């Protein structure tokens, strides 16, 4: 593929990630931090996020198995996870997290479970999209 | 946008920040040593990168306990701490509390949680800032300000070296000064550490070399629980120790920790106070006598006050600081910080000048600044300066009265003088406190002894002392203060007003005379002295009106009361507030009591008090006061020599001759005395 075309495609992908609400301006903050000292900073952060959040997701999954679940603990986990999401600008996941925490506070176990499925789904979707994006960006700019 | 533009953007960002820095003569805030604590590795890494891009020196840490031990290992290794609120091993607030207690570093809290209650909790626990996650680099670029603020707070001498009237320039200067302070910081910290060590050494010896206690989180929680159970005012080391019931812990350990804890609480109460010390830094003229002052000011007053390691001379400073703090409680923060600088025995002139300047500066009342500013610079002898101070004090006191009693004065002069109180009574209150706290130092021993035994008619006491010619300035001070306090009690008014008025009038005369003498050497002093004078007389008339006003006083006045009370013990006015105790607010009462005891050098603090937090301050105040009194009286011995009986007599005579004459004598034609409702 032509390099210019590839670059245009990367730009388009990036734009659609914002347009479709997957990412917010925090992601731009990360991009701004990327410099010669850390040329792959964004990608590193994102992969750190995914490796670390796996632990939290596991914790929440386990927490939801309890009946009744310990909502405080779930809320606490979700708070952490949400904090991570927000720091990479994962907008969609973050809003699902907010929903989850509302159910937690309401003591709605069913709502929690349902929302958490969505959280995980958005989590995975974003991961896939970002992976593709980073991969194409590497091709286009190296 | 594509990646290229992104890369370009990302390149330009740090570059621009570099160029911004290179424009500065000093690399600060580059190299600011930041400790970041967050259990979330993603956040931590992003923060690290952001902070690095700000050219800070970053240490990251994913556990609060670890952060605490890092800080303990190297107390001087960090300038600021940024901590997450939610951490599994230790709540961020607890970490905050420990840092506040142990190293007093500025701490910024951050959390994805932006709930008001959480943010509030951060503030009440002493966080200097609260960042909502995701943290943006824009917020981090600014964090050095907290370091500057904190340091400014402690490095008063640097401020004083930057003596420019213009606020902006001043700000700039002090900032620069602070940069240099960051270079010196090591030694400063060391000095402070030394002080602490000394204290601990002393503790050690008194405890026969008991092993040093590490106040772990648990131990501290036990301590706090015990203190809370007892109530902060009743919490004495012995009882706390009993409640804690920890083997190996000594009373001394607890006492020392209690002191720190109280200071910590006090700091919390003054959260907002850091501030404006910066902008308001006084245009104290760079005077030779000043050097020593600034050296005292440089010390961490809180720490010193607690440790009792302070040289006698700086006690006054501490006193002022402590007072300032207690007033801070009542919601006044701006000038308080400044006040700390004001008092120390070395440079009365400057102190004075600053003292008078501050309130005005904060008020942007330039007219006033000039007026009062003139006085100190024209003063030569210290005693004179002292006199002026007391004159100034009385002026202040009066102003307060004026302000409190009736905000609007018909006399243009008075209006002028009372502008600051009108626009912002609390500020004036502060000043008042300030000056008042200074008073004891200018009081002669005779006055003290004479005043104490005398009973109900306080004002009369003042009179008597006046006649003796001991130190009428301070006496009048006292009397005016008495006036003041009494005016707040509806039951006592008739008694004291007329009496009090006389002394104050006399005093004003005395002041005038003295000023004239000194003015021969200077240029600027006249108007101010005149104003003081006229104000005193103003005051006279106001007293009467005050009677009518009765108890219609507000909170601002109460803070003023504190100031008054402070003075009174050392002046003969105990009766004044002992009667106040019944009718005034708790806060005042407690202050009054403590001050009282301080005046008698018993310094046993606040036993039966009500307002907890105030109590803490009060306790400290009394301690300091007790220590400083002897020093004060020593200085005072100079006074009697200055004023002979003849002086007094002539002053009295002159007073009878009328104000107008005095004014003419000094050429104050600009001020129509007729306007004065004397």
């Amino acid at each position: 593929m032509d390099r210019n075309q590839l670059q245009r495609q990367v730009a388009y992908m990036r734009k659609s990630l914002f347009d479709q609400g997957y990412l917010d301006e925090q992601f731009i903050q990360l991009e701004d931090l990327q410099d010669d000292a850390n040329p792959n900073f964004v990608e590193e952060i994102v992969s750190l996020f995914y490796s670390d959040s796996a632990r939290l997701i596991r914790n929440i999954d386990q927490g939801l198995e309890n009946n009744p679940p310990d909502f405080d603990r779930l809320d606490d986990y979700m708070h952490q996870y949400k904090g991570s999401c927000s720091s990479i600008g994962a907008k969609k996941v973050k809003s699902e997290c907010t929903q989850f925490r509302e159910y937690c506070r309401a003591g709605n176990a069913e709502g929690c479970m349902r929302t958490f499925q969505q959280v995980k789904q958005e989590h995975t979707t974003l991961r896939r999209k970002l992976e593709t994006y980073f991969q194409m960006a590497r091709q286009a700019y190296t | 946008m594509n990646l290229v533009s992104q890369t370009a953007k990302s390149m330009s960002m740090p570059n621009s920040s570099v160029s911004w820095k290179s424009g500065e003569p000093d690399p600060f805030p580059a190299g600011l040593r930041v400790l970041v604590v967050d259990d979330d590795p993603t956040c931590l890494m992003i923060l690290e990168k952001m902070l690095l891009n700000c050219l800070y020196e970053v240490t990251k840490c994913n556990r609060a306990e670890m952060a605490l031990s890092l800080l303990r290992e190297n107390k001087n290794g960090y300038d600021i701490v940024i901590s997450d609120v939610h951490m599994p091993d230790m709540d961020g607030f607890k970490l905050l509390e420990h840092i506040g207690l142990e190293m007093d570093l500025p701490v910024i809290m951050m959390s994805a949680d932006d709930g008001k209650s959480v943010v509030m909790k951060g503030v009440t626990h002493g966080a200097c800032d609260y960042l909502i996650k995701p943290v943006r680099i824009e917020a981090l670029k600014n964090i050095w300000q907290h370091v500057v603020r904190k340091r400014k707070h402690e490095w008063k001498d640097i401020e004083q070296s930057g003596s420019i009237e213009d606020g902006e320039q001043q700000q700039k200067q002090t900032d620069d000064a602070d940069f240099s302070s960051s270079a010196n910081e090591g030694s400063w910290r060391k000095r402070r550490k030394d002080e602490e060590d000394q204290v601990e050494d002393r503790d050690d010896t008194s405890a026969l070399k008991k092993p040093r206690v590490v106040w772990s989180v648990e131990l501290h929680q036990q301590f706090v629980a015990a203190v809370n159970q007892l109530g902060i005012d009743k919490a004495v080391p012995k009882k706390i120790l009993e409640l804690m019931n920890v083997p190996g812990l000594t009373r001394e350990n607890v006492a020392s920790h209690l002191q720190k804890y109280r200071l910590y609480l006090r700091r919390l109460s003054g959260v907002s106070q850091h501030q404006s010390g910066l902008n308001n830094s006084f245009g104290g003229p760079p005077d030779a006598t000043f050097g020593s002052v600034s050296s005292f000011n440089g010390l961490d007053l809180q720490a010193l006050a607690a440790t009792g390691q302070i040289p006698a001379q700086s006690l006054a400073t501490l006193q002022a600081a402590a007072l300032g703090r207690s007033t801070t409680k009542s919601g006044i923060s701006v000038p308080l910080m400044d006040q700390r600088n004001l008092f120390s025995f070395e440079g009365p002139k400057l102190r004075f000048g600053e003292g008078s300047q501050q309130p005005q500066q904060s008020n942007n009342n330039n007219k006033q600044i000039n007026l009062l500013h003139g006085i100190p610079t024209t003063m030569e002898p210290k005693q004179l300066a002292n006199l002026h101070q007391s004159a100034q004090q009385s002026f202040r006191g009066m102003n307060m009265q004026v302000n409190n009693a009736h905000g609007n004065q018909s006399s243009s002069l008075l209006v002028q003088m009372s502008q600051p109180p009108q626009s912002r009574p609390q500020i004036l209150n502060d000043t008042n406190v300030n000056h008042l706290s200074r008073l004891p130092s200018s009081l002669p021993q005779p006055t003290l002894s004479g005043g104490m035994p005398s009973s109900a008619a306080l004002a009369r006491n003042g009179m008597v002392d006046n006649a003796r010619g001991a130190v009428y300035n301070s006496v009048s001070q006292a009397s005016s203060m008495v006036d003041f306090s009494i005016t707040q009690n509806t039951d006592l008014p008739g008694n004291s007003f007329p009496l009090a008025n006389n002394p104050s009038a006399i005093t004003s005369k005395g002041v005038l005379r003295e000023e004239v003498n000194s003015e021969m050497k200077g240029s600027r002093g006249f108007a101010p002295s005149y104003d003081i004078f006229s104000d005193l007389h103003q005051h006279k008339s106001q007293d009467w009106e005050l009677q009518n006003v009765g108890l219609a006083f507000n909170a601002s006045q109460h803070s003023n009361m504190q100031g008054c009370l402070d003075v009174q013990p050392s002046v003969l006015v105990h009766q004044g507030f002992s009667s106040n105790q019944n009718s005034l607010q708790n806060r005042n009462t407690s202050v009054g009591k403590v001050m009282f005891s301080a005046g008698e050098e018993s310094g046993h603090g606040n036993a039966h008090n009500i307002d907890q937090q105030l109590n803490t301050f009060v306790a400290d105040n009394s301690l300091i006061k007790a220590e400083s009194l002897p020093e004060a009286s020593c200085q005072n011995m100079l006074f009697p020599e200055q004023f002979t009986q003849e002086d007094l007599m002539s002053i009295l005579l002159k007073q009878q001759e009328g104000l107008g004459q005095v004014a003419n004598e000094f050429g104050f034609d600009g001020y129509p005395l007729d306007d004065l409702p004397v």
Side-chain angles (χ1 to χ4, degrees):
Chain A
M1 210 192 292
D2 176 60
R3 197 178 168 89
N4 275 342
Q5 201 184 338
L6 200 59
Q7 286 180 359
R8 270 198 301 278
Q9 203 173 337
V10 168
Y12 178 77
M13 269 183 81
R14 180 181 176 279
K15 187 174 180 298
S16 62
L17 282 173
F18 286 97
D19 290 346
Q20 292 164 27
Y22 286 106
L23 297 175
D24 62 21
E25 67 282 351
Q26 180 62 20
F27 191 78
I28 303 175
Q29 282 259 319
L30 299 189
E31 289 177 326
D32 288 349
L33 288 170
Q34 187 161 288
D35 56 20
D36 284 349
N38 304 68
N40 297 312
F41 183 71
V42 181
E43 202 177 338
E44 283 165 19
I45 289 292
V46 169
S47 59
L48 179 60
F49 164 75
Y50 276 103
S51 64
D52 181 61
S53 56
R55 168 184 58 94
L56 286 168
I57 287 180
R58 213 166 39 242
N59 286 341
I60 296 170
D61 260 334
Q62 284 166 3
L64 283 169
E65 282 167 17
N66 295 334
N67 198 12
D70 181 344
F71 287 109
D72 284 344
R73 172 166 288 192
L74 281 178
D75 187 59
D76 198 47
Y77 286 139
M78 190 48 89
H79 174 79
Q80 291 176 54
Y81 175 71
K82 189 188 161 194
S84 301
C85 289
S86 71
S87 64
I88 66 158
K91 191 178 177 185
K92 241 180 202 177
V93 190
K94 197 175 97 178
S95 67
E96 294 296 341
C97 293
T98 309
Q99 182 64 50
F100 180 92
R101 295 189 72 191
E102 272 165 27
Y103 283 128
C104 266
R105 280 168 200 154
N108 183 343
E110 203 263 328
C112 279
M113 266 184 273
R114 194 160 20 89
T115 323
F116 192 58
Q117 293 311 312
Q118 277 168 308
V119 168
K120 283 198 286 191
Q121 195 185 323
E122 291 299 342
H123 178 90
T124 315
T125 308
L126 181 66
R127 178 180 204 162
R128 227 179 24 243
K129 283 182 181 287
L130 283 174
E131 272 171 2
T132 316
Y133 167 69
F134 288 134
Q135 201 182 353
M136 285 181 70
R138 264 203 307 273
Q139 284 174 15
Y141 295 102
T142 49
Chain B
M1 220 191 304
N2 61 26
L3 249 196
V4 174
S5 69
Q6 278 308 304
T7 319
K9 208 174 166 191
S10 68
M11 288 305 294
S12 72
M13 205 278 311
N15 281 348
S16 69
S17 69
V18 167
S19 66
W20 161 65
K21 256 139 218 156
S22 64
E24 297 276 352
D26 198 285
F28 188 88
L32 194 82
R33 297 161 305 168
V34 186
L35 179 65
V36 205
V37 196
D38 197 332
D39 61 307
D40 180 342
T42 315
C43 286
L44 197 57
M45 190 168 165
I46 295 170
L47 278 169
E48 182 194 29
K49 181 64 183 164
M50 284 178 169
L51 291 164
L52 285 172
N53 278 13
C54 293
L55 301 181
Y56 302 147
E57 207 175 280
V58 188
T59 310
K60 52 179 182 169
C61 168
N62 58 11
R63 289 179 58 239
E65 286 283 9
M66 194 170 129
L68 206 51
S69 59
L70 277 175
L71 287 165
R72 280 179 179 144
E73 277 165 26
N74 189 3
K75 279 194 182 183
N76 304 325
Y78 307 94
D79 297 310
I80 191 165
V81 180
I82 303 179
S83 169
D84 188 28
V85 171
H86 297 268
M87 285 180 290
D89 63 326
M90 188 200 288
D91 185 66
F93 296 121
K94 223 168 267 179
L95 175 65
L96 173 61
E97 193 173 329
H98 274 277
I99 295 172
L101 271 171
E102 293 176 35
M103 16 267 172
D104 191 20
L105 284 174
V107 179
I108 296 173
M109 301 303 291
M110 59 181 175
S111 170
D113 198 341
D114 58 355
K116 186 180 160 192
S117 62
V118 192
V119 178
M120 187 57 85
K121 203 175 168 190
V123 173
T124 54
H125 279 67
C128 62
D129 207 347
Y130 193 104
L131 304 177
I132 307 289
K133 280 185 181 178
V135 174
R136 301 179 62 85
I137 193 166
E138 288 81 359
L140 297 175
K141 276 179 186 166
N142 260 337
I143 59 167
W144 56 268
Q145 68 181 300
H146 302 296
V147 179
V148 172
R149 198 166 289 144
K150 196 116 194 164
R151 242 176 247 165
K152 190 136 301 179
H153 192 170
E154 287 149 349
W155 265 92
K156 287 304 179 183
D157 49 342
I158 289 166
E159 256 172 76
Q160 283 159 352
S161 70
S163 58
I164 297 183
E165 313 283 339
D166 175 53
E168 198 135 327
Q169 256 179 306
Q170 199 169 37
Q171 176 71 37
K172 176 85 171 70
Q173 254 218 354
T174 49
D175 280 352
D176 288 349
D178 241 89
F179 301 158
S180 62
S181 89
S182 69
N184 296 333
E185 163 206 35
S187 64
W188 159 64
R189 291 195 193 236
K190 185 166 187 311
R191 183 163 43 142
R192 188 177 144 198
K193 193 166 181 289
D194 288 347
E195 301 274 3
E196 281 169 5
D197 285 349
Q198 275 175 31
V199 177
E200 297 196 15
D201 287 350
R202 202 178 51 178
D203 283 350
D204 284 353
T205 47
S206 62
L208 294 175
K209 293 289 172 198
K210 290 259 164 56
R212 190 183 275 191
V213 172
V214 174
W215 285 85
S216 67
V217 181
E218 294 72 27
L219 199 56
H220 175 64
Q221 290 311 317
Q222 275 181 280
F223 167 84
V224 172
V227 169
N228 288 341
Q229 192 180 328
L230 292 166
I232 187 78
D233 54 330
K234 299 224 171 71
V236 293
K238 198 178 165 208
K239 282 190 184 166
I240 297 172
L241 188 63
E242 282 167 10
L243 275 174
M244 288 176 72
N245 191 24
V246 173
L249 199 64
T250 65
R251 201 198 65 83
E252 285 77 14
N253 297 142
V254 176
S256 142
H257 196 66
L258 180 63
Q259 250 173 348
K260 282 185 185 174
Y261 186 63
R262 285 198 161 134
L263 289 170
Y264 163 74
L265 289 179
R266 190 193 296 174
R267 268 200 303 272
L268 291 193
S269 72
V271 169
S272 64
Q273 89 206 139
H274 301 175
Q275 52 309 15
S276 22
L278 323 189
N279 307 345
N280 289 344
S281 47
F282 351 77
D287 196 311
T289 55
F290 218 84
S292 50
V293 177
S294 46
S295 68
F296 292 123
N297 292 338
L299 301 174
D300 181 339
L301 295 174
Q302 297 167 359
L304 289 179
T307 60
Q309 295 285 312
I310 324 108
Q313 280 170 311
S314 62
L315 278 174
T317 314
L318 288 169
Q319 219 174 317
L323 282 176
R325 287 192 168 265
S326 64
T327 336
T328 309
K329 272 273 74 169
S330 61
I332 314 136
S333 54
V334 178
L336 288 182
M337 301 312 298
D338 303 340
Q339 283 171 17
R340 295 221 217 152
N341 297 330
L342 303 187
F343 299 103
S344 92
F345 288 86
E346 287 307 293
K349 321 177 191 181
L350 291 177
R351 261 181 277 128
F352 183 36
E354 289 166 0
S356 47
Q357 250 183 315
Q358 278 160 15
Q360 293 127 9
Q361 274 198 348
S362 37
N363 263 345
N364 297 324
N365 189 333
N366 294 327
K367 202 168 188 181
Q368 292 253 336
I369 293 179
N370 292 337
L371 278 180
L372 299 172
H373 185 57
I375 298 176
T377 51
T378 55
M379 293 291 156
E380 281 268 285
K382 280 188 183 181
Q383 290 81 5
L384 276 186
N386 267 337
L387 265 187
H388 276 282
Q389 271 194 337
S390 44
Q392 183 71 14
Q393 284 159 3
S394 45
F395 147 61
R396 291 280 167 197
M398 268 142 238
N399 245 344
M400 275 321 295
Q401 293 180 353
V402 170
N403 178 48
N404 291 331
H406 23 244
N408 302 317
Q409 286 300 315
S410 53
S411 151
S412 58
L413 256 181
L414 219 231
V415 170
Q416 186 191 2
M417 291 310 285
S418 55
Q419 263 170 2
Q422 275 172 352
S423 57
R424 227 175 139 178
Q426 286 176 332
I427 285 172
L428 227 217
N429 283 343
D430 287 338
T431 325
N432 207 359
V433 170
N434 219 345
H435 286 278
L436 295 177
S437 65
R438 177 72 179 80
L439 227 200
S441 67
S442 62
L443 283 179
Q445 210 64 5
T447 316
L448 251 178
S449 55
M452 296 285 265
S454 60
S455 52
L458 331 164
R460 192 180 298 140
N461 279 342
M463 256 306 238
V464 171
D465 281 317
N466 231 345
R468 276 189 213 148
V471 174
Y472 40 87
N473 266 315
S474 34
V475 171
S476 82
Q477 188 61 41
S479 60
S480 65
M481 285 314 132
V482 174
D483 268 345
F484 183 49
S485 49
I486 285 174
T487 53
Q488 303 205 349
N489 294 320
T490 24
D491 16 61
L492 293 180
N495 222 354
S496 50
F497 285 152
L499 291 168
N501 291 337
N502 285 336
S504 65
I506 291 165
T507 314
S508 64
K509 288 275 187 171
V511 172
L512 248 194
R513 271 177 63 87
E514 285 311 314
E515 275 188 353
V516 171
N517 291 340
S518 61
E519 242 99 73
M520 300 315 164
K521 298 156 193 155
S523 54
R524 283 197 281 172
F526 264 73
S529 66
Y530 174 71
D531 277 331
I532 288 165
F533 177 56
S534 61
D535 244 272
L536 284 168
H537 285 281
Q538 286 284 333
H539 159 231
K540 211 174 170 183
S541 64
Q542 265 120 39
D543 276 345
W544 297 100
E545 292 185 35
L546 278 174
Q547 270 181 294
N548 300 332
V549 175
L551 269 180
F553 294 101
N554 51 19
S556 69
Q557 214 174 352
H558 289 306
S559 63
N560 189 19
M561 270 312 292
Q562 292 181 349
C564 291
L565 294 172
D566 286 337
V567 185
Q568 287 163 354
S570 42
V571 197
L572 54 108
V573 199
H574 298 283
Q575 298 90 349
F577 53 87
S578 53
S579 54
N580 286 343
Q581 282 177 1
N582 300 327
S583 57
L584 289 176
Q585 204 175 295
N586 289 344
R587 186 201 290 164
N588 286 336
T589 313
S590 64
V591 174
K593 279 183 198 163
V594 173
M595 286 318 145
F596 193 130
S597 58
E600 295 176 329
E601 296 193 32
S602 65
H604 72 66
N606 44 330
H608 21 260
N609 283 328
I610 319 94
D611 184 329
Q612 282 202 354
Q613 277 172 314
L614 193 91
N615 251 325
T616 347
F617 306 139
V618 159
D620 291 340
N621 284 349
S622 66
L623 266 176
I624 297 160
K625 276 232 159 181
E627 287 175 89
S628 65
L629 270 177
E631 160 73 6
S633 50
C634 290
Q635 252 218 347
N636 296 332
M637 298 330 257
L638 297 170
F639 266 75
E641 298 171 12
Q642 288 273 327
F643 304 97
T644 62
Q645 200 83 13
E646 282 81 11
D647 284 336
L648 237 202
M649 285 310 290
S650 63
I651 285 159
L652 279 165
L653 281 174
K654 268 189 203 157
Q655 198 209 352
Q656 285 171 356
E657 286 167 19
L659 301 176
Q661 192 191 332
V662 179
N664 293 336
E665 199 176 329
F666 301 134
F668 295 124
D669 294 331
Y671 299 89
L673 285 167
D674 304 346
D675 290 345
L676 303 177
V678 175

